[in-house]
Amino acid sequence: MRRLLFLGAAAGLLLTACAPVPVRRPADEAALAAQAARERQLSGVDRWTLEGHLAVSDGHDGGSGSLRWKQDGQRYDFELRAPITGKSFRLSGGPDGALLEGIEGGPLRGPDAEALMRKALGWEVPLDDLRAWVLGLRAAGAPAELRFGEHDLPSLLVQDGWTVDYRAWDATQQPPLPQKVFASRPPYKVKLSIDSFRLGAASCADCGR
């Protein structure tokens, strides 16, 4: 059995679930100004807690589970639990390296979180960029192409070879925050469905312990 199946094969249900195709109009001056204003509002937010569901696929196999992601500055705590198998793993760390727990063979440490996930689970997840994308922001360091939907909120973002499809937003948050984020770089797919997003609620004192 492939490592990507670590959390079960339910990912297909999440990755192919029907959803209305959102409006995607080219960026104009008003939409770009609204996005710049959102990014200014959120630029100083470096502590948050996200809960929801994550599904990944490499085009053949997949895995999925419930997710709790805590971010505290440069430190993070990323815990995923499969609803069927009951298996879980925890990825934590910061600038000094990453720790992956809950996998066969015991914990793994390394300088790069994405490399650890790739090695241990077979997952291709752009964690550094995803940290910005889950807030509906462009990641730093690379050009990005945007298309917009209702209320001048991003509908599609193309950056670092990934296409990020925003299928739903939580307008009760100010500024609005994404609820469904679907990132793909063929053959890889990552889908995040966010149930709750609490800004300033993270505490990662033991991350990467």
Side-chain angles (χ1 to χ4, degrees), residues 24-81:
R24 293 177 182 163
R25 56 180 175 77
D28 57 24
E29 186 175 345
L32 289 173
Q35 177 66 9
R38 284 189 67 259
E39 291 179 340
R40 285 193 297 271
Q41 285 181 278
L42 293 168
S43 62
V45 174
D46 63 356
R47 298 180 68 237
W48 41 263
T49 299
L50 177 158
E51 295 186 20
H53 294 81
L54 179 74
V56 298
S57 171
D58 66 357
H60 298 286
D61 298 311
S64 67
S66 60
L67 170 69
R68 172 174 286 189
W69 181 356
K70 296 181 180 180
Q71 191 75 36
D72 190 353
Q74 294 297 312
R75 309 204 68 78
Y76 54 85
D77 189 299
F78 187 97
E79 186 172 359
L80 193 66
R81 179 178 296 276

Tab-separated table of all heavy atoms in Angstrom, residues 24-81:
chain	number	residue	atom	x	y	z
A	24	ARG	N	-15.165	34.015	-12.431
A	24	ARG	CA	-13.739	34.302	-12.570
A	24	ARG	C	-13.565	35.394	-13.607
A	24	ARG	O	-13.570	35.123	-14.799
A	24	ARG	CB	-12.970	33.052	-12.990
A	24	ARG	CG	-12.932	31.968	-11.941
A	24	ARG	CD	-12.223	30.736	-12.450
A	24	ARG	NE	-12.226	29.675	-11.466
A	24	ARG	CZ	-11.964	28.400	-11.751
A	24	ARG	NH1	-11.698	28.039	-12.989
A	24	ARG	NH2	-11.976	27.490	-10.796
A	25	ARG	N	-13.434	36.608	-13.150
A	25	ARG	CA	-13.236	37.716	-14.081
A	25	ARG	C	-11.823	38.266	-13.933
A	25	ARG	O	-11.234	38.213	-12.843
A	25	ARG	CB	-14.276	38.809	-13.847
A	25	ARG	CG	-14.330	39.354	-12.445
A	25	ARG	CD	-15.395	40.442	-12.328
A	25	ARG	NE	-15.545	40.890	-10.963
A	25	ARG	CZ	-14.701	41.711	-10.335
A	25	ARG	NH1	-13.645	42.165	-10.972
A	25	ARG	NH2	-14.927	42.079	-9.083
A	26	PRO	N	-11.272	38.761	-15.018
A	26	PRO	CA	-9.906	39.294	-14.958
A	26	PRO	C	-9.781	40.416	-13.940
A	26	PRO	O	-10.750	41.116	-13.627
A	26	PRO	CB	-9.672	39.812	-16.383
A	26	PRO	CG	-10.643	39.056	-17.227
A	26	PRO	CD	-11.851	38.838	-16.363
A	27	ALA	N	-8.585	40.574	-13.424
A	27	ALA	CA	-8.335	41.627	-12.442
A	27	ALA	C	-8.509	42.990	-13.085
A	27	ALA	O	-8.089	43.219	-14.222
A	27	ALA	CB	-6.922	41.488	-11.895
A	28	ASP	N	-9.169	43.877	-12.361
A	28	ASP	CA	-9.241	45.262	-12.785
A	28	ASP	C	-8.731	46.138	-11.633
A	28	ASP	O	-8.363	45.643	-10.571
A	28	ASP	CB	-10.662	45.660	-13.217
A	28	ASP	CG	-11.692	45.434	-12.118
A	28	ASP	OD1	-11.322	45.421	-10.926
A	28	ASP	OD2	-12.881	45.270	-12.453
A	29	GLU	N	-8.710	47.422	-11.855
A	29	GLU	CA	-8.119	48.324	-10.870
A	29	GLU	C	-8.832	48.251	-9.524
A	29	GLU	O	-8.190	48.219	-8.467
A	29	GLU	CB	-8.158	49.761	-11.404
A	29	GLU	CG	-7.441	50.765	-10.520
A	29	GLU	CD	-7.387	52.151	-11.144
A	29	GLU	OE1	-7.643	52.263	-12.366
A	29	GLU	OE2	-7.084	53.107	-10.417
A	30	ALA	N	-10.166	48.187	-9.545
A	30	ALA	CA	-10.928	48.153	-8.300
A	30	ALA	C	-10.667	46.866	-7.530
A	30	ALA	O	-10.489	46.876	-6.309
A	30	ALA	CB	-12.420	48.299	-8.589
A	31	ALA	N	-10.645	45.721	-8.245
A	31	ALA	CA	-10.426	44.437	-7.576
A	31	ALA	C	-9.018	44.349	-6.994
A	31	ALA	O	-8.828	43.855	-5.874
A	31	ALA	CB	-10.671	43.302	-8.560
A	32	LEU	N	-8.030	44.832	-7.742
A	32	LEU	CA	-6.656	44.802	-7.242
A	32	LEU	C	-6.489	45.720	-6.035
A	32	LEU	O	-5.751	45.401	-5.101
A	32	LEU	CB	-5.684	45.195	-8.358
A	32	LEU	CG	-5.502	44.158	-9.470
A	32	LEU	CD1	-4.656	44.733	-10.594
A	32	LEU	CD2	-4.870	42.879	-8.920
A	33	ALA	N	-7.191	46.845	-6.052
A	33	ALA	CA	-7.134	47.758	-4.903
A	33	ALA	C	-7.768	47.114	-3.677
A	33	ALA	O	-7.253	47.239	-2.558
A	33	ALA	CB	-7.838	49.074	-5.243
A	34	ALA	N	-8.887	46.401	-3.878
A	34	ALA	CA	-9.538	45.716	-2.763
A	34	ALA	C	-8.636	44.612	-2.212
A	34	ALA	O	-8.544	44.420	-0.992
A	34	ALA	CB	-10.880	45.137	-3.214
A	35	GLN	N	-7.958	43.885	-3.103
A	35	GLN	CA	-7.046	42.833	-2.657
A	35	GLN	C	-5.865	43.430	-1.888
A	35	GLN	O	-5.450	42.894	-0.852
A	35	GLN	CB	-6.544	42.015	-3.848
A	35	GLN	CG	-5.538	40.937	-3.513
A	35	GLN	CD	-6.116	39.820	-2.662
A	35	GLN	OE1	-7.323	39.757	-2.444
A	35	GLN	NE2	-5.267	38.927	-2.186
A	36	ALA	N	-5.332	44.534	-2.382
A	36	ALA	CA	-4.215	45.186	-1.691
A	36	ALA	C	-4.644	45.638	-0.291
A	36	ALA	O	-3.865	45.527	0.672
A	36	ALA	CB	-3.712	46.371	-2.506
A	37	ALA	N	-5.878	46.122	-0.168
A	37	ALA	CA	-6.380	46.550	1.141
A	37	ALA	C	-6.506	45.351	2.079
A	37	ALA	O	-6.147	45.430	3.266
A	37	ALA	CB	-7.729	47.246	0.988
A	38	ARG	N	-7.032	44.199	1.567
A	38	ARG	CA	-7.123	42.987	2.383
A	38	ARG	C	-5.734	42.547	2.842
A	38	ARG	O	-5.534	42.164	3.992
A	38	ARG	CB	-7.754	41.836	1.590
A	38	ARG	CG	-9.260	41.911	1.395
A	38	ARG	CD	-9.801	40.625	0.782
A	38	ARG	NE	-9.670	39.521	1.720
A	38	ARG	CZ	-8.720	38.602	1.685
A	38	ARG	NH1	-7.803	38.620	0.750
A	38	ARG	NH2	-8.686	37.636	2.581
A	39	GLU	N	-4.774	42.596	1.931
A	39	GLU	CA	-3.433	42.139	2.269
A	39	GLU	C	-2.785	43.043	3.312
A	39	GLU	O	-2.038	42.562	4.173
A	39	GLU	CB	-2.594	42.026	1.000
A	39	GLU	CG	-3.072	40.885	0.099
A	39	GLU	CD	-2.273	40.747	-1.182
A	39	GLU	OE1	-1.601	41.727	-1.578
A	39	GLU	OE2	-2.330	39.661	-1.792
A	40	ARG	N	-3.068	44.337	3.250
A	40	ARG	CA	-2.551	45.233	4.282
A	40	ARG	C	-3.174	44.908	5.638
A	40	ARG	O	-2.489	44.908	6.666
A	40	ARG	CB	-2.816	46.690	3.911
A	40	ARG	CG	-1.905	47.237	2.816
A	40	ARG	CD	-1.997	48.734	2.732
A	40	ARG	NE	-3.339	49.195	2.370
A	40	ARG	CZ	-3.765	49.364	1.121
A	40	ARG	NH1	-2.958	49.095	0.109
A	40	ARG	NH2	-4.989	49.791	0.874
A	41	GLN	N	-4.482	44.626	5.650
A	41	GLN	CA	-5.161	44.298	6.899
A	41	GLN	C	-4.611	43.026	7.530
A	41	GLN	O	-4.518	42.903	8.752
A	41	GLN	CB	-6.664	44.127	6.657
A	41	GLN	CG	-7.429	45.418	6.457
A	41	GLN	CD	-8.902	45.157	6.256
A	41	GLN	OE1	-9.345	44.827	5.149
A	41	GLN	NE2	-9.684	45.289	7.317
A	42	LEU	N	-4.257	42.047	6.693
A	42	LEU	CA	-3.837	40.743	7.191
A	42	LEU	C	-2.321	40.568	7.250
A	42	LEU	O	-1.845	39.531	7.712
A	42	LEU	CB	-4.435	39.636	6.318
A	42	LEU	CG	-5.960	39.496	6.391
A	42	LEU	CD1	-6.477	38.581	5.289
A	42	LEU	CD2	-6.393	38.969	7.765
A	43	SER	N	-1.582	41.570	6.798
A	43	SER	CA	-0.131	41.424	6.710
A	43	SER	C	0.511	41.206	8.072
A	43	SER	O	1.546	40.554	8.187
A	43	SER	CB	0.489	42.654	6.027
A	43	SER	OG	0.234	43.825	6.795
A	44	GLY	N	-0.083	41.753	9.120
A	44	GLY	CA	0.489	41.589	10.451
A	44	GLY	C	-0.060	40.414	11.223
A	44	GLY	O	0.342	40.186	12.376
A	45	VAL	N	-0.969	39.647	10.616
A	45	VAL	CA	-1.567	38.498	11.307
A	45	VAL	C	-0.630	37.297	11.182
A	45	VAL	O	-0.452	36.751	10.098
A	45	VAL	CB	-2.949	38.161	10.715
A	45	VAL	CG1	-3.488	36.884	11.341
A	45	VAL	CG2	-3.912	39.308	10.929
A	46	ASP	N	-0.010	36.910	12.278
A	46	ASP	CA	0.878	35.746	12.241
A	46	ASP	C	0.533	34.729	13.314
A	46	ASP	O	1.288	33.793	13.561
A	46	ASP	CB	2.342	36.177	12.363
A	46	ASP	CG	2.646	36.859	13.691
A	46	ASP	OD1	1.704	37.055	14.488
A	46	ASP	OD2	3.819	37.188	13.927
A	47	ARG	N	-0.618	34.900	13.968
A	47	ARG	CA	-1.094	33.923	14.947
A	47	ARG	C	-2.539	33.578	14.616
A	47	ARG	O	-3.397	34.460	14.574
A	47	ARG	CB	-0.997	34.481	16.373
A	47	ARG	CG	0.405	34.819	16.809
A	47	ARG	CD	0.426	35.370	18.237
A	47	ARG	NE	0.068	34.344	19.212
A	47	ARG	CZ	-0.928	34.455	20.078
A	47	ARG	NH1	-1.692	35.544	20.097
A	47	ARG	NH2	-1.187	33.484	20.933
A	48	TRP	N	-2.812	32.302	14.344
A	48	TRP	CA	-4.173	31.881	14.054
A	48	TRP	C	-4.314	30.372	14.240
A	48	TRP	O	-3.336	29.644	14.292
A	48	TRP	CB	-4.611	32.271	12.642
A	48	TRP	CG	-3.621	32.113	11.529
A	48	TRP	CD1	-2.820	33.096	11.012
A	48	TRP	CD2	-3.335	30.929	10.759
A	48	TRP	NE1	-2.057	32.582	9.984
A	48	TRP	CE2	-2.352	31.278	9.805
A	48	TRP	CE3	-3.827	29.626	10.786
A	48	TRP	CZ2	-1.851	30.363	8.892
A	48	TRP	CZ3	-3.328	28.694	9.882
A	48	TRP	CH2	-2.354	29.082	8.935
A	49	THR	N	-5.562	29.948	14.374
A	49	THR	CA	-5.900	28.531	14.461
A	49	THR	C	-6.962	28.213	13.426
A	49	THR	O	-7.995	28.889	13.359
A	49	THR	CB	-6.433	28.164	15.857
A	49	THR	OG1	-5.424	28.438	16.833
A	49	THR	CG2	-6.803	26.686	15.930
A	50	LEU	N	-6.703	27.224	12.622
A	50	LEU	CA	-7.612	26.798	11.556
A	50	LEU	C	-8.034	25.363	11.828
A	50	LEU	O	-7.197	24.517	12.161
A	50	LEU	CB	-6.879	26.909	10.219
A	50	LEU	CG	-7.533	26.479	8.917
A	50	LEU	CD1	-6.839	27.185	7.743
A	50	LEU	CD2	-7.427	24.965	8.706
A	51	GLU	N	-9.323	25.084	11.680
A	51	GLU	CA	-9.827	23.720	11.792
A	51	GLU	C	-10.689	23.411	10.574
A	51	GLU	O	-11.439	24.265	10.106
A	51	GLU	CB	-10.640	23.545	13.078
A	51	GLU	CG	-9.807	23.706	14.342
A	51	GLU	CD	-10.587	23.376	15.598
A	51	GLU	OE1	-11.616	22.677	15.489
A	51	GLU	OE2	-10.170	23.818	16.677
A	52	GLY	N	-10.575	22.189	10.071
A	52	GLY	CA	-11.346	21.811	8.892
A	52	GLY	C	-10.966	20.424	8.420
A	52	GLY	O	-10.657	19.545	9.227
A	53	HIS	N	-10.963	20.235	7.103
A	53	HIS	CA	-10.648	18.940	6.512
A	53	HIS	C	-9.684	19.146	5.342
A	53	HIS	O	-9.831	20.095	4.558
A	53	HIS	CB	-11.917	18.240	6.016
A	53	HIS	CG	-12.847	17.861	7.129
A	53	HIS	ND1	-13.724	18.768	7.701
A	53	HIS	CD2	-13.017	16.679	7.797
A	53	HIS	CE1	-14.393	18.162	8.663
A	53	HIS	NE2	-13.996	16.911	8.739
A	54	LEU	N	-8.716	18.254	5.249
A	54	LEU	CA	-7.704	18.314	4.198
A	54	LEU	C	-7.743	17.026	3.395
A	54	LEU	O	-7.871	15.932	3.955
A	54	LEU	CB	-6.314	18.484	4.815
A	54	LEU	CG	-5.135	18.543	3.836
A	54	LEU	CD1	-5.112	19.903	3.125
A	54	LEU	CD2	-3.814	18.312	4.574
A	55	ALA	N	-7.642	17.147	2.077
A	55	ALA	CA	-7.533	15.980	1.193
A	55	ALA	C	-6.404	16.225	0.208
A	55	ALA	O	-6.221	17.346	-0.275
A	55	ALA	CB	-8.842	15.745	0.443
A	56	VAL	N	-5.625	15.193	-0.075
A	56	VAL	CA	-4.519	15.297	-1.019
A	56	VAL	C	-4.587	14.124	-2.000
A	56	VAL	O	-5.114	13.060	-1.690
A	56	VAL	CB	-3.147	15.301	-0.315
A	56	VAL	CG1	-3.012	16.503	0.605
A	56	VAL	CG2	-2.923	14.008	0.453
A	57	SER	N	-4.038	14.353	-3.185
A	57	SER	CA	-4.004	13.299	-4.207
A	57	SER	C	-2.786	13.521	-5.096
A	57	SER	O	-2.377	14.662	-5.336
A	57	SER	CB	-5.279	13.330	-5.052
A	57	SER	OG	-5.177	12.468	-6.167
A	58	ASP	N	-2.211	12.412	-5.577
A	58	ASP	CA	-1.118	12.514	-6.555
A	58	ASP	C	-1.600	12.127	-7.953
A	58	ASP	O	-0.805	11.860	-8.840
A	58	ASP	CB	0.061	11.630	-6.142
A	58	ASP	CG	-0.270	10.137	-6.174
A	58	ASP	OD1	-1.438	9.777	-6.465
A	58	ASP	OD2	0.639	9.328	-5.920
A	59	GLY	N	-2.917	12.095	-8.139
A	59	GLY	CA	-3.492	11.718	-9.417
A	59	GLY	C	-3.909	10.270	-9.476
A	59	GLY	O	-4.696	9.879	-10.345
A	60	HIS	N	-3.392	9.451	-8.552
A	60	HIS	CA	-3.748	8.026	-8.494
A	60	HIS	C	-4.276	7.647	-7.114
A	60	HIS	O	-5.304	6.998	-6.992
A	60	HIS	CB	-2.529	7.161	-8.839
A	60	HIS	CG	-2.006	7.383	-10.222
A	60	HIS	ND1	-2.643	6.919	-11.337
A	60	HIS	CD2	-0.893	8.046	-10.656
A	60	HIS	CE1	-1.960	7.268	-12.419
A	60	HIS	NE2	-0.895	7.954	-12.038
A	61	ASP	N	-3.534	8.019	-6.096
A	61	ASP	CA	-3.896	7.681	-4.723
A	61	ASP	C	-4.105	8.964	-3.937
A	61	ASP	O	-3.676	10.046	-4.348
A	61	ASP	CB	-2.803	6.836	-4.064
A	61	ASP	CG	-2.593	5.514	-4.789
A	61	ASP	OD1	-3.601	4.829	-5.048
A	61	ASP	OD2	-1.440	5.182	-5.086
A	62	GLY	N	-4.747	8.832	-2.767
A	62	GLY	CA	-4.999	10.018	-1.964
A	62	GLY	C	-5.161	9.693	-0.504
A	62	GLY	O	-5.198	8.538	-0.083
A	63	GLY	N	-5.235	10.733	0.297
A	63	GLY	CA	-5.474	10.609	1.726
A	63	GLY	C	-6.240	11.826	2.198
A	63	GLY	O	-6.220	12.875	1.558
A	64	SER	N	-6.943	11.687	3.310
A	64	SER	CA	-7.726	12.810	3.809
A	64	SER	C	-7.923	12.666	5.304
A	64	SER	O	-7.756	11.589	5.877
A	64	SER	CB	-9.086	12.888	3.114
A	64	SER	OG	-9.896	11.779	3.476
A	65	GLY	N	-8.301	13.751	5.944
A	65	GLY	CA	-8.583	13.705	7.370
A	65	GLY	C	-8.972	15.061	7.898
A	65	GLY	O	-8.954	16.065	7.180
A	66	SER	N	-9.338	15.089	9.177
A	66	SER	CA	-9.660	16.347	9.834
A	66	SER	C	-8.360	17.038	10.222
A	66	SER	O	-7.394	16.394	10.628
A	66	SER	CB	-10.537	16.110	11.060
A	66	SER	OG	-9.878	15.284	11.990
A	67	LEU	N	-8.354	18.339	10.124
A	67	LEU	CA	-7.128	19.114	10.276
A	67	LEU	C	-7.286	20.164	11.357
A	67	LEU	O	-8.312	20.846	11.438
A	67	LEU	CB	-6.788	19.806	8.953
A	67	LEU	CG	-5.661	20.848	8.992
A	67	LEU	CD1	-4.313	20.172	9.243
A	67	LEU	CD2	-5.632	21.645	7.687
A	68	ARG	N	-6.239	20.295	12.173
A	68	ARG	CA	-6.093	21.466	13.044
A	68	ARG	C	-4.702	22.039	12.771
A	68	ARG	O	-3.701	21.354	12.927
A	68	ARG	CB	-6.229	21.117	14.516
A	68	ARG	CG	-5.892	22.307	15.426
A	68	ARG	CD	-6.152	22.021	16.889
A	68	ARG	NE	-7.581	22.017	17.158
A	68	ARG	CZ	-8.090	21.956	18.404
A	68	ARG	NH1	-7.281	21.883	19.443
A	68	ARG	NH2	-9.394	21.955	18.574
A	69	TRP	N	-4.678	23.298	12.366
A	69	TRP	CA	-3.426	23.957	12.011
A	69	TRP	C	-3.298	25.207	12.863
A	69	TRP	O	-4.090	26.127	12.762
A	69	TRP	CB	-3.445	24.303	10.527
A	69	TRP	CG	-2.213	24.972	9.984
A	69	TRP	CD1	-1.116	25.383	10.666
A	69	TRP	CD2	-1.979	25.297	8.614
A	69	TRP	NE1	-0.200	25.961	9.810
A	69	TRP	CE2	-0.707	25.909	8.548
A	69	TRP	CE3	-2.720	25.131	7.443
A	69	TRP	CZ2	-0.164	26.366	7.348
A	69	TRP	CZ3	-2.185	25.591	6.255
A	69	TRP	CH2	-0.914	26.199	6.199
A	70	LYS	N	-2.262	25.229	13.714
A	70	LYS	CA	-1.972	26.399	14.533
A	70	LYS	C	-0.709	27.069	14.007
A	70	LYS	O	0.298	26.400	13.778
A	70	LYS	CB	-1.769	26.002	15.996
A	70	LYS	CG	-2.995	25.414	16.664
A	70	LYS	CD	-2.700	25.078	18.120
A	70	LYS	CE	-3.921	24.492	18.810
A	70	LYS	NZ	-3.636	24.169	20.234
A	71	GLN	N	-0.788	28.364	13.834
A	71	GLN	CA	0.357	29.139	13.379
A	71	GLN	C	0.650	30.210	14.420
A	71	GLN	O	-0.251	30.945	14.854
A	71	GLN	CB	0.055	29.793	12.028
A	71	GLN	CG	1.267	30.396	11.348
A	71	GLN	CD	2.185	29.343	10.737
A	71	GLN	OE1	1.717	28.322	10.228
A	71	GLN	NE2	3.488	29.582	10.789
A	72	ASP	N	1.902	30.297	14.853
A	72	ASP	CA	2.319	31.282	15.846
A	72	ASP	C	3.626	31.889	15.367
A	72	ASP	O	4.706	31.385	15.669
A	72	ASP	CB	2.481	30.615	17.213
A	72	ASP	CG	2.685	31.623	18.339
A	72	ASP	OD1	2.835	32.820	18.041
A	72	ASP	OD2	2.691	31.212	19.503
A	73	GLY	N	3.522	32.952	14.585
A	73	GLY	CA	4.706	33.522	13.960
A	73	GLY	C	5.291	32.532	12.971
A	73	GLY	O	4.597	32.023	12.089
A	74	GLN	N	6.583	32.236	13.123
A	74	GLN	CA	7.230	31.262	12.247
A	74	GLN	C	7.044	29.825	12.721
A	74	GLN	O	7.459	28.891	12.033
A	74	GLN	CB	8.732	31.591	12.157
A	74	GLN	CG	9.038	32.909	11.478
A	74	GLN	CD	8.587	32.906	10.028
A	74	GLN	OE1	8.861	31.963	9.280
A	74	GLN	NE2	7.897	33.962	9.629
A	75	ARG	N	6.420	29.631	13.858
A	75	ARG	CA	6.225	28.292	14.385
A	75	ARG	C	4.826	27.778	14.030
A	75	ARG	O	3.886	28.563	13.933
A	75	ARG	CB	6.453	28.261	15.889
A	75	ARG	CG	7.786	28.888	16.295
A	75	ARG	CD	8.271	28.381	17.620
A	75	ARG	NE	8.661	26.963	17.551
A	75	ARG	CZ	9.820	26.536	17.036
A	75	ARG	NH1	10.694	27.386	16.529
A	75	ARG	NH2	10.098	25.248	17.017
A	76	TYR	N	4.707	26.471	13.849
A	76	TYR	CA	3.454	25.879	13.383
A	76	TYR	C	3.229	24.522	14.025
A	76	TYR	O	4.162	23.859	14.487
A	76	TYR	CB	3.460	25.735	11.855
A	76	TYR	CG	4.668	24.985	11.344
A	76	TYR	CD1	4.695	23.596	11.296
A	76	TYR	CD2	5.813	25.679	10.930
A	76	TYR	CE1	5.815	22.911	10.853
A	76	TYR	CE2	6.940	25.006	10.495
A	76	TYR	CZ	6.935	23.627	10.457
A	76	TYR	OH	8.056	22.955	10.028
A	77	ASP	N	1.981	24.123	14.054
A	77	ASP	CA	1.571	22.818	14.565
A	77	ASP	C	0.436	22.349	13.654
A	77	ASP	O	-0.638	22.951	13.634
A	77	ASP	CB	1.096	22.936	16.014
A	77	ASP	CG	0.871	21.569	16.642
A	77	ASP	OD1	0.026	20.811	16.148
A	77	ASP	OD2	1.537	21.284	17.644
A	78	PHE	N	0.677	21.296	12.904
A	78	PHE	CA	-0.201	20.834	11.834
A	78	PHE	C	-0.578	19.390	12.164
A	78	PHE	O	0.260	18.491	12.074
A	78	PHE	CB	0.599	20.926	10.525
A	78	PHE	CG	-0.139	20.653	9.268
A	78	PHE	CD1	-0.642	21.691	8.502
A	78	PHE	CD2	-0.283	19.354	8.796
A	78	PHE	CE1	-1.286	21.441	7.300
A	78	PHE	CE2	-0.933	19.096	7.599
A	78	PHE	CZ	-1.431	20.150	6.849
A	79	GLU	N	-1.833	19.168	12.605
A	79	GLU	CA	-2.251	17.831	13.037
A	79	GLU	C	-3.409	17.339	12.181
A	79	GLU	O	-4.415	18.025	12.033
A	79	GLU	CB	-2.660	17.839	14.508
A	79	GLU	CG	-2.965	16.451	15.054
A	79	GLU	CD	-3.182	16.447	16.556
A	79	GLU	OE1	-3.076	17.527	17.165
A	79	GLU	OE2	-3.446	15.360	17.102
A	80	LEU	N	-3.251	16.156	11.615
A	80	LEU	CA	-4.250	15.580	10.722
A	80	LEU	C	-4.657	14.204	11.234
A	80	LEU	O	-3.804	13.369	11.542
A	80	LEU	CB	-3.683	15.468	9.305
A	80	LEU	CG	-4.661	15.178	8.171
A	80	LEU	CD1	-5.621	16.343	7.989
A	80	LEU	CD2	-3.890	14.934	6.874
A	81	ARG	N	-5.974	13.973	11.334
A	81	ARG	CA	-6.489	12.696	11.832
A	81	ARG	C	-7.498	12.127	10.844
A	81	ARG	O	-8.410	12.825	10.402
A	81	ARG	CB	-7.149	12.880	13.195
A	81	ARG	CG	-7.724	11.588	13.777
A	81	ARG	CD	-8.310	11.830	15.156
A	81	ARG	NE	-7.279	12.224	16.104
A	81	ARG	CZ	-6.510	11.352	16.761
A	81	ARG	NH1	-6.669	10.041	16.553
A	81	ARG	NH2	-5.622	11.772	17.610
